[in-house]
Amino acid sequence: GRAFSALLDTPGKRSALVRITGESPTLSEPNLYVAVAQAVGKGDKLEQVIQHGTEIGASEFIPLVTERTTFRLSAVAGEEKRERWQRVAKGAAEQCGRCRVPGVRAAFPFSGLLALAAEFDKALLLQPECRDLEKSASGDAGRVLLIVGPEGGFSAAERESAAAAGVQEVSVGRYVLRTETAALAALARLVSSEK
């Protein structure tokens, strides 16, 4: 969470010696902690969400496996993917000047995510044609879980189990957005609306 100015004293092929010359001012982190639980989509959609979400101010990312998720990996390949996604978050944090790199958890099944929702002050599930995000997210929530579905949305059973777990359905506008666009639009509105 801190930044320093340094001079490169001894450059080398495998290592370098630097001398710290002083502490540098840093940008503050958002007061609102937002964990983005994003359904894993085709291609690099999750990487886009992690990269741009880090730049916007997400606190952590949780890859989500839902009924309509097409992504399936073994435990070993899943850990390799998670490490890659963590590197994407690190690179994005460096690029935008954040001193804190958001964490990327191992992939969660939807049912496991609902159990995790109790750790948050509010859990919000993006769903078109629902209550506006700002109206639902207003208040003293310090930790928000933002749940974003796959292409095709959440199944009826998933929506019912989320409602039973106290998760609120919210919308980011009148249009049906692509999964990666919805995550970023909601995150930007949450972070920019904090007091």
Side-chain angles (χ1 to χ4, degrees):
R2 297 165 66 192
F4 298 89
S5 299
L7 291 175
L8 180 61
D9 278 346
T10 311
K13 286 187 176 184
R14 297 190 184 264
S15 64
L17 182 64
V18 296
R19 183 170 25 98
I20 294 175
T21 58
E23 191 162 359
S24 299
T26 60
L27 299 172
S28 63
E29 287 291 310
N31 292 326
L32 186 64
Y33 185 100
V34 181
V36 179
Q38 171 72 51
V40 182
K42 298 173 187 171
D44 67 348
K45 290 181 190 235
L46 183 58
E47 284 188 22
Q48 291 176 40
V49 171
I50 292 170
Q51 178 184 11
H52 301 305
T54 296
E55 295 169 4
I56 293 169
S59 303
E60 75 172 302
F61 297 94
I62 304 168
L64 182 59
V65 179
T66 68
E67 286 182 30
R68 296 178 178 156
T69 299
T70 57
F71 169 84
R72 299 286 187 263
L73 281 179
S74 67
V76 172
E79 179 56 22
E80 289 173 0
K81 270 289 200 189
R82 191 204 64 75
E83 289 172 0
R84 175 171 170 69
W85 293 328
Q86 188 63 65
R87 288 191 303 273
V88 168
K90 182 179 183 290
E94 290 170 353
Q95 183 276 321
C96 72
R98 284 183 75 175
C99 288
R100 187 185 165 283
V101 178
V104 180
R105 295 194 193 202
F108 264 77
F110 189 78
S111 59
L113 182 74
L114 294 181
L116 182 71
E119 296 178 14
F120 293 85
D121 299 313
K122 284 193 179 182
L124 307 172
L125 184 137
L126 290 184
Q127 186 67 27
E129 301 176 9
C130 289
R131 185 174 185 192
D132 188 73
L133 175 69
E134 276 89 357
K135 292 176 185 166
S136 297
S138 62
D140 297 331
R143 291 175 49 87
V144 174
L145 176 62
L146 178 65
I147 307 170
V148 187
E151 294 90 350
F154 293 104
S155 70
E158 288 170 332
R159 290 178 67 189
E160 287 173 16
S161 60
V167 176
Q168 299 176 44
E169 289 189 351
V170 296
S171 172
V172 288
R174 68 180 75 175
Y175 303 115
V176 176
L177 303 176
R178 297 175 71 92
T179 183
E180 67 275 20
T181 306
L184 299 173
L187 177 61
R189 288 172 74 175
L190 284 170
V191 172
S192 68
S193 68
E194 71 173 332
K195 294 178 172 74

